[in-house]
Amino acid sequence: MKGISAIILAAGQGKRMKSALPKVAHLSLGKPVVWHVARAARAAGIREIVFVLGYGRDKVLPTVEAFGGKVAIQESQFGTGDAARCGLAEVSAGAKEIVVLCGDAPLIRPATIRALLAARRRTGAAASVLTGALDDPAGYGRIVRNPDGTVAKIVEEKDANAPTRKIREVNSGTYAFDRAFLERGLPRLSDVNAQREYYLTDLVQEALAQGNRVVPLISGDPDEVRGINSRRELAEATYILLRRKIEALMDSGVTFIDPERTYVETEVTIGQDSVIEPAVMLTGNTRIGRGVRIQTGCIVEDCTLGDGVHLKPYSVMAASRVRKNAILGPFSHLRPLADIGEGAHIGNFVEVKKSRIGKGSKANHLAYIGDAVVGRKVNVGAGTITCNYDGIAKHLTVLGDGVFVGSDTMLVAPVTVGKGALIGAGSTITQNVPAYALAISRAEQKISEYWVARRKPELLKKAGLSVPTVKTKGGK
Ligand code: UD1
Ligand code: CA
């Protein structure tokens, strides 16, 4: 939408968080609190977003960059009115309407921002304000109404008398303003109040004094007005965002066996007909295809999973890719840059790091595959280890298509095994193996007949076996 800009107030410290991090930079469902506010503004169609920053501004800049926003600096926090004045100075000349949002209220919805803009336009008011009726309005500014339903004033909790405190309708801190009104009104605010701050909310009286008015829009969902001031409120807001996220995914065709006990961060996508079991955490920039099954206890961070992938219980993975129909777990571990091929199997207690596993290959039990390129249809036996680190540098292991690696093999990198080669179990491979060859490196097996019967008969007795009589050849 052209001609509309947003100002997000985010300069405060948030003392009640008891934190070195500014309040708006705390994470809620994997993203900074203020990120959710900016996303709502952008999704409402607002292109220009001005962030008013102050305390701990460096910690908020990544969010500003993520939205290509502008920054206004409020050096000292003299109140929301002062913050809005700082922000307005950065708004481009073309903007005729300004939406002001609180950086600490992440539950605001795009549709509500649009409705707030529409409410002001429809009535020709100086401003519209989003309000909510809360069972417990403590801490919020109260909406005092005129007989005609418009706002008479907004009274901060600290300035309110007992009857005013009983009002349950509160100010969300989200407004749509006529820009010209905002420009006239902000310089006229005073800081004569309980907190010695310039209150943005005092613009209500300013509008009335000009013969104009402020119209309230009551949110249908009182959660939307919630601001975060403490860690408890942060957890409550995160819980609400999580519910919304999981409900949206269910609406789009994803099954959650136990939606109350599943954690899915904001930007995760999941395709239709996928099934997510309880106690799963899907975080960061994770992309999940269709028909994927993720069993209990899995933790998936910044991964891409193709269609039909099956993660068996307690598989943990980060910054990796799993191609379609691959099966992992239980208890698999993918560290960054693992790339598991189509239909491959990675089984229990197998760790893969920075390695490409080809289509249809298998490493089913107890293995470490690091810095490797594994071809198609390779079988990596139980207990195989790529010895990729010499104490100084990491080295590459290459296994060609169709290689069979016997159990308990040490692949001392750098090393290349040609296609179709076979490695005998228990080998330590230190030299390249040509294609189609057998490589084996282990001591030959020796048999000493009846050695136990002769030398350790007590072991046989302990096991309940009778001790065979051994004909000794010669002396001993
Ligand atoms: C404000 C409103 C209150 C409303 C509530 C909703 C005022 C005077 N009060 O109160 O009516 O019910 O929000 O949550 O507006 N900020 C700055 N610079 C400042 C002061 C604040 O950028 O100088 C930012 C904060 O970082 C925060 C937002 O503005 O993101 C709200 O500030 P906060 O101090 O939390 O206001 P409340 O007391 O909650
Ligand atoms: Ca607040």
Side-chain angles (χ1 to χ4, degrees):
M1 285 186 284
K2 271 185 157 177
I4 305 173
S5 292
I7 299 173
I8 300 180
L9 310 183
Q13 175 181 358
K15 290 198 182 69
R16 280 170 285 172
M17 294 298 285
K18 308 271 166 62
S19 175
L21 199 62
K23 175 168 68 178
V24 299
H26 278 261
L27 297 184
S28 188
L29 212 61
K31 286 288 177 185
V33 167
V34 65
W35 182 96
H36 293 279
V37 181
R39 183 175 73 161
R42 183 54 55 76
I46 301 175
R47 295 270 301 282
E48 183 175 73
I49 303 177
V50 177
F51 294 78
V52 182
L53 306 184
Y55 181 87
R57 68 188 74 150
D58 294 351
K59 298 288 193 291
V60 192
L61 286 176
T63 298
V64 176
E65 276 160 30
F67 290 92
K70 289 183 173 176
V71 173
I73 301 294
Q74 187 195 26
E75 287 294 351
S76 306
Q77 281 72 65
F78 294 133
T80 50
D82 182 62
R85 189 187 51 74
C86 292
L88 189 58
E90 298 300 326
V91 170
S92 61
K96 300 289 176 245
E97 294 174 275
I98 311 265
V99 175
V100 174
L101 300 137
C102 275
D104 66 349
L107 299 174
I108 185 80
R109 285 192 168 96
T112 307
I113 295 173
R114 285 195 291 265
L116 197 60
L117 283 160
R120 193 196 70 79
R121 282 186 202 163
R122 200 169 51 233
T123 55
S128 54
V129 54
L130 181 69
T131 72
L134 299 185
D135 291 336
D136 178 12
Y140 290 90
R142 305 300 203 282
I143 302 290
V144 180
R145 294 222 190 192
N146 288 315
D148 68 356
T150 60
V151 183
K153 56 185 173 176
I154 301 175
V155 185
E156 292 307 297
E157 168 112 356
K158 287 180 179 137
D159 300 296
N161 58 24
T164 305
R165 287 187 185 197
K166 288 213 175 73
I167 297 172
R168 285 176 47 225
E169 188 181 6
V170 305
N171 170 25
S172 69
T174 306
Y175 321 82
F177 287 104
D178 167 46
R179 181 192 186 139
F181 166 73
L182 198 58
E183 259 169 0
R184 276 196 309 276
L186 284 175
R188 299 196 204 194
L189 295 176
S190 92
D191 63 351
V192 182
N193 52 53
Q195 303 185 79
R196 304 246 28 171
E197 284 183 0
Y198 295 92
Y199 290 169
L200 185 57
T201 46
D202 285 348
L203 286 177
V204 174
Q205 286 94 314
E206 187 60 31
L208 293 171
Q210 292 178 22
N212 208 318
R213 62 204 183 285
V214 173
V215 291
L217 175 75
I218 303 188
S219 170
D221 171 10
D223 281 338
E224 250 187 325
V225 310
R226 285 175 186 246
I228 290 172
N229 295 302
S230 64
R231 306 253 183 181
R232 285 181 191 220
E233 287 170 353
L234 175 65
E236 285 165 10
T238 300
Y239 181 79
I240 293 165
L241 287 171
L242 177 58
R243 297 274 67 81
R244 285 187 190 169
K245 176 73 186 175
I246 288 181
E247 280 163 18
L249 286 168
M250 291 195 289
D251 291 345
S252 73
V254 179
T255 293
F256 286 85
I257 305 288
D258 188 349
E260 286 288 320
R261 263 163 287 272
T262 312
Y263 179 77
V264 184
E265 286 186 349
T266 309
E267 294 204 289
V268 173
T269 61
I270 308 179
Q272 216 172 304
D273 290 319
S274 291
V275 177
I276 314 296
E277 292 192 359
V280 166
M281 291 186 80
L282 307 174
T283 69
N285 186 28
T286 289
R287 304 265 169 271
I288 295 171
R290 291 166 174 250
V292 171
R293 182 173 179 208
I294 303 185
Q295 293 197 258
T296 197
C298 287
I299 302 177
V300 182
E301 179 186 356
D302 295 329
C303 289
T304 299
L305 309 186
D307 295 346
V309 163
H310 181 180
L311 303 186
K312 294 181 179 175
Y314 301 101
S315 293
V316 175
M317 55 201 63
S320 290
R321 172 167 190 173
V322 180
R323 293 168 197 260
K324 65 179 179 186
N325 300 326
I327 302 175
L328 278 78
F331 301 100
S332 300
H333 185 194
L334 303 187
R335 287 168 50 211
L337 303 180
D339 182 342
I340 309 302
E342 185 180 334
H345 292 191
I346 301 295
N348 38 195
F349 307 107
V350 174
E351 173 183 341
V352 181
K353 183 219 79 170
K354 201 178 177 186
S355 295
R356 166 99 176 88
I357 308 293
K359 186 174 174 180
S361 290
K362 293 178 183 173
N364 271 331
H365 334 266
L366 301 155
Y368 172 60
I369 303 174
D371 302 289
V373 177
V374 177
R376 293 168 167 234
K377 295 256 178 195
V378 171
N379 194 304
V380 176
T384 296
I385 290 173
T386 54
C387 309
N388 59 327
Y389 186 48
D390 60 11
I392 306 287
K394 303 286 167 65
H395 301 284
L396 187 69
T397 299
V398 179
L399 302 179
D401 291 345
V403 164
F404 185 96
V405 181
S407 295
D408 194 29
T409 293
M410 301 296 119
L411 296 157
V412 182
V415 70
T416 296
V417 180
K419 67 177 172 187
L422 190 152
I423 296 171
S427 294
T428 297
I429 300 299
T430 54
Q431 290 163 38
N432 291 347
V433 178
Y436 312 113
L438 166 70
I440 193 159
S441 77
R442 61 191 185 213
E444 230 172 275
Q445 184 169 321
K446 285 181 193 151
I447 303 288
S448 300
E449 291 203 6
Y450 291 106
W451 186 93
V452 182
R454 280 189 277 115
R455 296 292 194 84
K456 296 269 183 198
E458 65 273 23
L459 283 180
L460 300 179
K461 286 174 194 154
K462 198 177 160 196
L465 296 176
S466 59
V467 180
T469 36
V470 182
K471 287 170 199 158
T472 45
K473 301 176 207 160
K476 299 172 210 165

